[in-house]
Structure formats: C-alpha cells, structure tokens
Amino acid sequence: MTWIHPLAPETRESADVLGGKGHGLVVLRRLGLPVPPGFVIGTRACRAFLRDGRFPDGLDAELAAAVRLLAATPADGGVPAVAVRSGAAVSMPGMLDTVLDVGLDADAAGRLHAAVREVLASWHSPRATAYRELNGIPHDLGTAVVVQAMVFGDRDEHSGSGVAFSRDPNTGARAPFGDVLFGRRGEDVVSGRSSPRPLSELAAREPAVAERLVAALRRLERHYRDACHVEFTFEAGVLWFLQVRPGGLTGRAAVRTAVDLADDRLIDRRTALRRISPRHLQAARTPRMDTGDGTDLLTRGRGACPGVASGRIAVTADRAARMAAGGRGPVILVRPTTSPLDMHGLAAAAGVATSLGGPTSHAAVVARAMGKPAVVDAAGLTVDTEADHVRIGGRVVPAGTLITIDGTGGEIALGEPGITTGNAGVHLHRLLAWADEVSGDRSPRPDHERLSAAHARLRQSPPP
C-alpha cells in the first residue's frame, strides 16, 4: 500500500484520500499554477495511526524517500524548512494542528516524524471532536497531512500573505475579494491576530502579483464551475498558492453566484437549484439594522457574515457557553479575536464581534460556516476579560449588556434597535422561478416550499 502521494499533476487520488487541501493543491498543479513542492500523507495512514498508536508499516521508508526527493526539488534553491499541515476531506477551519519551520537538518527524520504525529493526533483533540459533532462530520474519516517547502511572506518588502475569493463571499458580486498582509506570514491573516488590508491594495503595492492572482482566480472558477477561495503567499515578488477550496459563501452570495454561473452557461439551471439549500434561502433575505435617529451606535467594524443578531455581551467563550446554557437569552461573543479554542462559545453565541482580524479571519470563516452574523476589525473596541467589560472609545460597557450587531454593514449598537426586512433581490426571484418550472407548480407558496418541491423533482432525475 502507498501511504504518500506527491503534489503532482499525475496524482489521481480523490479528496477522500488526499484530503481537501491536498486534492486542491494537486488541482492547482494540474492547472499550471505555482505550488511549493511537497507531498501528502493520505487519510488511510491517519486512520491506521489512530487505531494502532504508531505509524503503519512502510510509512517510515516512504517518508524518508519523499523528504530526499523534496530536498532535491526546492522552491528557491534549498529547503531549509517545511510546513506540516492538516487537510481533512471536509473543511475543519483551524481545528487541527499545523507545525511550521520544521528544519531539514541532521535530525530531519526525527523532527518531521514528531510534527506528523502531532498533526495526526490532533484529529482527536477536544476542539476537533466538538467541531465534528457540531457539524455532523464522521469521527472515523481521519486527516491527510500535507508536507511542503516553506515560502515566506515576511521575507522582504516585496513579500506578504493573504486570502482571496473569486467573488465577494457576502454578496456574490463578480469581483475578487479578500485580505492581504504585507511582510507577514499566512497564519497572521487567517488567525485574525492582525487587521489585514483589503485585497485591492495588492494591485498598488505589487501589481504583477495581483495580476497573476486575479488571472488564477478566474481560471479556478472556470475549473470548479463555482466561486472559490485561495490562500496565497508572495515571496520576493513571486506568487505561491497554499490552498484552494470552492464555495464558502453566505446564503445571499450563494444564490447570486448560482444564478450568475447559470447565465454564463458554466452550469445549468438544475445544477444551480441543487446547490441552494433551505438554509441558503433563509439567509438570502438578509435583514439590516435600522441605524436611523434613536439608535445608540457604539462603533462600526467590517461586516464579515450578513445578518442581525441581538444578545448580551460575553467576553470569553466559556462565559458565552455558560450564559447561553443558563437561559439568559441570546449571547454575543465579543473578543479581540477567536481561535479554535473558542468553538464552544461560537457555537453557543447568536453572533460574534472581534476588535481585530478581517473578513477571512477565523471568526469570519467559522461564522459564515455556521450562518451567524459577524463583525470584525471593530475600531476602538477593547476587551477586558479580567474586568468583564468592553471599552468602546470612552465608554465602558459591562458584560451582560444587550447589544446588536449587523454583519452586513459592521455596525454594533447598544440595546435592540429596529430591524428592516431584507430585499430578496432579483437573483432569488429568478432562482425561485426556475424552481417552479422544475416542479411544475406555480401556486403561491413560501420560498422554502418552492425550493423543496424542485429538489424533490430533481431527486427523481439525478444529474448525469
């Protein structure tokens, strides 16, 4: 049995074997896009390791051979270090471990073995187990492990890292969207520890990198026939891709994207309907906070997941979980930033607000996956966990205070302002008209019933 698979165009294993990250990297290589050299330890090795508590027979020898080959095909003249990353078949953002800067020195085998074991063992970490239970992900899938040559976003003034979507993940607008940090590594972007710059600034600072990135996003969208997002690093003006995934859109954006792709004949109308779930429909009619006279606006950040949520402030994940379980009503988790250790608080909260991070930070990604409103990069917001309050400008707002957040415009207001009903938009009207055509029923019904009737008819004639 082969445990290790190269990140090469000829690799044909599925995402079930390579994991979502590894499979995406192989797709990038097939499309001729720049990927740091590396290899994937498949999910079967993880399942064997978790079952037996040791590497399966043959993995040691394959790992030694793969490292020798990697050292002979460097990204930039030498491989002083590699990154060891998890990559499950189903996305689990930040739930599994990553080990960076694993030096390939005289003790390369020992260091690499320890890093791989750490990543494999993280499959059973409490946060990963809780995330799978929350999202209905089977516990027996296991994760792949991606080992790649490091590329450095903090190399010099022409280096940086970012996350880019082929379309706006909140609205579905046909324009690249994302975050970039200049002179920083990728983990600084996705962790939310820093407030990144809008992707549009990349064109001004590094026009050649931006041009290659936008061209790659267009190519990937045509390949996947869906919106997609990438993690990227540019080192000394050279662009590298570290991950690609399709989807990751809010309900409203998913509806618009499905309709637009059908209009562009990249997919047919039946495929567009299959991609939209009742949850997408519910989120498509996004309400907005009424910010007119009488609204006590505390601050404004960046909207990271559309929707309006009201609840009482909790400044730690533990307190959010206790308050929600104690029957005190909805909770808004307010943090400087979130991490995988905050998953229980994010799950318990009605919405999340952070003082740092951008629309591609951990808090934003998890909120979109859960369909919960999120505001990030809230200016002037300071969280004091010891004093159990937040400070906004010159105001002190104690934990337990009722606030409202608007994940579209990024507003945070005191109390519970009025809410305006969201406009369904022309894309949703067109999609529902297609649903009526498929079901053969044009009688007045709620949106979810119209979609469900179309889905039932589509199940009778599955796609070719």
Side-chain angles (χ1 to χ4, degrees):
M1 177 179 291
T2 299
W3 302 108
I4 290 180
H5 314 274
L7 291 176
E10 60 270 19
T11 297
R12 295 297 170 185
E13 282 76 11
S14 69
D16 289 339
V17 175
L18 301 175
K21 185 175 295 178
H23 188 265
L25 290 169
V26 168
V27 169
L28 288 164
R29 290 294 305 274
R30 283 187 201 143
L31 294 175
L33 297 172
V35 173
F39 56 87
V40 181
I41 303 171
T43 56
R44 289 186 293 245
C46 179
R47 291 193 290 270
F49 174 83
L50 296 174
R51 181 188 64 239
D52 301 331
R54 60 177 179 82
F55 281 0
D57 293 341
L59 178 56
D60 279 323
E62 288 189 32
L63 193 55
V67 169
R68 286 195 298 271
L69 182 61
L70 179 58
T73 56
D76 59 355
V79 187
V82 296
V84 183
R85 296 183 173 95
S86 62
V90 180
S91 178
M92 296 174 57
M95 296 301 112
L96 304 176
D97 286 357
T98 291
V99 184
L100 303 177
D101 298 301
V102 179
L104 296 187
D105 55 14
D107 189 30
R111 292 176 184 272
L112 189 57
H113 283 208
V116 171
R117 283 194 296 271
E118 179 180 334
V119 174
L120 294 176
S122 70
W123 179 259
H124 280 330
S125 67
R127 66 177 186 269
T129 301
Y131 185 88
R132 291 195 297 273
E133 290 175 350
L134 184 66
N135 291 277
I137 301 171
H139 291 299
D140 59 355
L141 295 180
T143 183
V145 179
V146 178
V147 180
Q148 279 183 290
M150 292 279 292
V151 287
F152 298 94
D154 55 356
R155 173 75 71 189
D156 56 26
E157 66 272 17
H158 296 292
S159 302
S161 302
V163 177
F165 287 78
S166 61
R167 300 181 183 228
D168 189 318
N170 294 321
T171 68
R174 299 177 188 236
F177 175 97
D179 294 330
V180 62
L181 275 174
F182 298 98
R184 303 286 288 277
R185 294 189 179 190
E187 60 265 29
D188 294 321
V189 179
V190 297
S191 69
R193 292 189 297 264
S194 302
S195 292
R197 307 303 303 163
L199 186 66
S200 57
E201 294 190 12
L202 183 61
R205 291 274 296 268
E206 297 290 335
V209 172
E211 184 178 352
R212 290 192 292 270
L213 175 63
V214 171
L217 289 171
R218 287 197 295 264
R219 188 169 186 180
L220 287 165
E221 187 168 288
R222 288 195 298 272
H223 171 81
Y224 282 107
R225 302 187 179 198
D226 198 358
C228 60
H229 57 283
V230 299
E231 293 182 17
F232 66 92
T233 289
F234 51 102
E235 180 183 27
V238 178
L239 176 65
W240 298 95
F241 291 100
L242 304 180
Q243 182 168 326
V244 59
R245 286 189 184 274
L249 309 177
T250 64
R252 190 179 186 88
V255 168
R256 175 172 177 174
T257 298
V259 172
D260 283 348
L261 291 173
D263 286 345
D264 294 341
R265 299 189 177 182
L266 287 174
I267 61 175
D268 59 27
R269 291 181 176 183
R270 288 175 172 247
T271 300
L273 287 166
R274 287 188 177 99
R275 287 186 178 179
I276 303 304
S277 68
R279 179 178 169 182
H280 285 132
L281 273 193
Q282 183 179 6
R285 295 183 180 272
T286 308
R288 294 295 308 276
M289 184 194 304
D290 184 353
T291 57
D293 293 343
T295 298
D296 189 353
L297 193 64
L298 294 171
T299 189
R300 180 179 276 109
R302 299 171 69 185
C305 186
V308 176
S310 298
R312 302 192 179 278
I313 293 174
V315 297
T316 69
D318 288 343
R319 292 169 193 171
R322 287 198 300 269
M323 288 169 66
R328 297 183 58 187
V331 175
I332 303 296
L333 179 61
V334 183
R335 298 282 297 142
T337 184
T338 67
S339 77
L341 298 176
D342 295 318
M343 276 307 303
H344 57 303
L346 288 163
V352 58
T354 64
S355 58
L356 299 172
T360 57
S361 64
H362 177 269
V365 170
V366 172
R368 280 196 292 272
M370 293 181 171
K372 297 183 178 186
V375 174
V376 297
D377 197 15
L381 173 63
T382 303
V383 179
D384 189 330
T385 57
E386 293 298 324
D388 205 19
H389 67 230
V390 300
R391 187 180 296 275
I392 303 176
R395 303 174 67 174
V396 173
V397 184
T401 301
L402 181 65
I403 62 170
T404 298
I405 64 172
D406 186 328
T408 301
E411 296 87 2
I412 303 177
L414 195 64
E416 198 166 8
I419 295 175
T420 60
T421 303
N423 189 339
V426 64
H427 296 90
L428 180 56
H429 285 305
R430 292 184 62 204
L431 185 88
L432 291 172
W434 298 347
D436 294 341
E437 290 175 7
V438 168
S439 68
D441 187 348
R442 298 179 181 272
S443 61
R445 291 167 297 162
D447 293 351
H448 69 278
E449 291 185 8
R450 297 166 70 183
L451 183 67
S452 295
H455 281 180
R457 182 62 62 88
L458 290 170
R459 284 194 292 271
Q460 298 171 8
S461 55

